[in-house]
Amino acid sequence: MSRRVPLPTPEKTRTWAEQMALEQIGPSKFRSLNGTPFGAYSKVRGQMRPRAFGGHVYAQAVYAASKTVAKGMMIHSVTGYFTMLGLADEPFTYEVSVVRTGKNYSVRNVNVTQEDDPTICFSCICSFKRSEPDFMNVQEEHDVKETYAPLMGDKEPQDLDRNVSHLDWRQVPADASPSITSFFPGVLTSILPIEKLHRDRRYLDRTNLYFFSANTEPSADPDYNLEACAHLFHSDRESIFAIIKSYELADVLEVASSLSHTVVFHVPGEQVSFHDREGRRRWFYQETQSKRISDGRALMEGRIYNRDGVLIATMMQDGAFKLKPMTEGEKVRRERRLNNPPKL
């Protein structure tokens, strides 16, 4: 039997560095030291085992790759493919290979396996670059406060209560009060009654809103790649499950899983940090939506902003869906409903 790693529990808070902790077991090979969040169990080789949260593997693969690039190189783009089920209580092994090492850009490939099954369960290409602070800076204006006001009113994230009772971050009651849960290990993430916004919106116009920070301390020498990985970790929060909720597909869903996930950062390292230069905590705001379902898949698109509305990162995830058999009439009625506003 393979070794086991400790799963996260509400009783013991992990720092973000602890959640991402790696041991080096080869020149470019690393192994995880802590278990991942999990929301379900699956039968694997005769045992019920917790299924790993894909965002952990996605983020930790980039963190492993960051240990092989020159100082000053910052992650700016990663595309990963989820090829097999991962287990939350078993270490992941990250094997990093060099695609290119350049003066301003370096590219790495990371293949991820687990001990009980050496088949690759995740693979990604990630690119690191040096900052270009003098380059032009253009984006569409975005008012974070206005977007979140229907759910939070005048409150800021730091004003909300901490709540550790929501052990599965994907299942938020419709009547939940806005709060923050620290069960998502290493990261503080919001509990928001998003259904309030969904009720009178066309299904294709529904947006899922979250805010988050990382359990880090101010540092005189911050590891911006480590902090960027917290954004990657949270970027996969709900993802496919958010699509299921937005389109109200739970009653006909059989199987859903992530296929690929891409995140592109638009800012230099200091702007992804979870503390400003005065040591004050920063919160970031994540918005996701889906505009397309077809061919057994659904596409989730998202953006991460800071409190001032600066676009920090853009993401896109492709997910596979298998629905229960429906008659042609049932399928047409459901498609018609999804393309029109819900009846109140």
Side-chain angles (χ1 to χ4, degrees), residues 1-57:
M1 185 179 77
S2 65
R3 73 191 73 197
R4 297 288 185 263
V5 287
L7 292 171
T9 68
E11 293 76 28
K12 188 178 186 306
T13 301
R14 285 180 186 167
T15 66
W16 177 240
E18 288 172 337
Q19 183 59 33
M20 286 288 101
L22 292 166
E23 60 175 333
Q24 188 163 358
I25 57 175
S28 56
K29 200 170 187 178
F30 305 85
R31 183 164 56 210
S32 61
L33 297 175
N34 283 305
T36 83
F38 60 96
Y41 282 76
S42 294
K43 195 168 187 177
V44 179
R45 291 179 286 279
Q47 291 183 308
M48 295 304 295
R49 302 283 299 280
R51 299 178 59 169
F53 167 55
H56 172 98
V57 184

Side-chain angles (χ1 to χ4, degrees), residues 163-190:
N163 186 338
V164 296
S165 63
H166 299 289
L167 300 189
D168 188 342
W169 61 94
R170 300 166 303 180
Q171 305 297 327
V172 179
D175 59 350
S177 298
S179 62
I180 297 168
T181 176
S182 57
F183 182 79
F184 215 42
V187 169
L188 305 171
T189 187
S190 60

Side-chain angles (χ1 to χ4, degrees), residues 47 75 172 259 262 268 303:
Q47 291 183 308
I75 183 66
V172 179
L259 295 173
T262 295
R303 296 154 297 281

Side-chain angles (χ1 to χ4, degrees), residues 272-339:
V272 307
S273 178
F274 291 93
H275 290 88
D276 64 19
R277 291 175 180 174
E278 284 71 47
R280 294 171 298 199
R281 177 174 296 282
R282 284 174 174 162
W283 293 88
F284 293 87
Y285 298 77
Q286 179 173 319
E287 305 175 9
T288 67
Q289 65 180 158
S290 175
K291 294 282 191 180
R292 191 70 168 112
I293 294 182
S294 69
D295 196 34
R297 294 173 295 118
L299 185 70
M300 183 275 288
E301 300 170 89
R303 296 154 297 281
I304 295 174
Y305 297 92
N306 70 11
R307 180 62 182 81
D308 297 323
V310 174
L311 181 59
I312 302 297
T314 299
M315 68 195 78
M316 181 175 70
Q317 184 166 134
D318 190 22
F321 285 80
K322 184 177 181 181
L323 303 179
K324 296 175 183 177
M326 290 183 282
T327 66
E328 188 63 27
E330 288 173 326
K331 188 174 76 168
V332 169
R333 283 193 296 273
R334 188 172 288 268
E335 288 175 348
R336 190 174 295 143
R337 177 171 65 84
L338 291 176
N339 279 291

Side-chain angles (χ1 to χ4, degrees), residues 73 75 206 234 240 244 282 344:
M73 286 285 187
I75 183 66
R206 292 178 170 182
H234 193 274
I240 300 304
I244 295 167
R282 284 174 174 162
L344 302 179

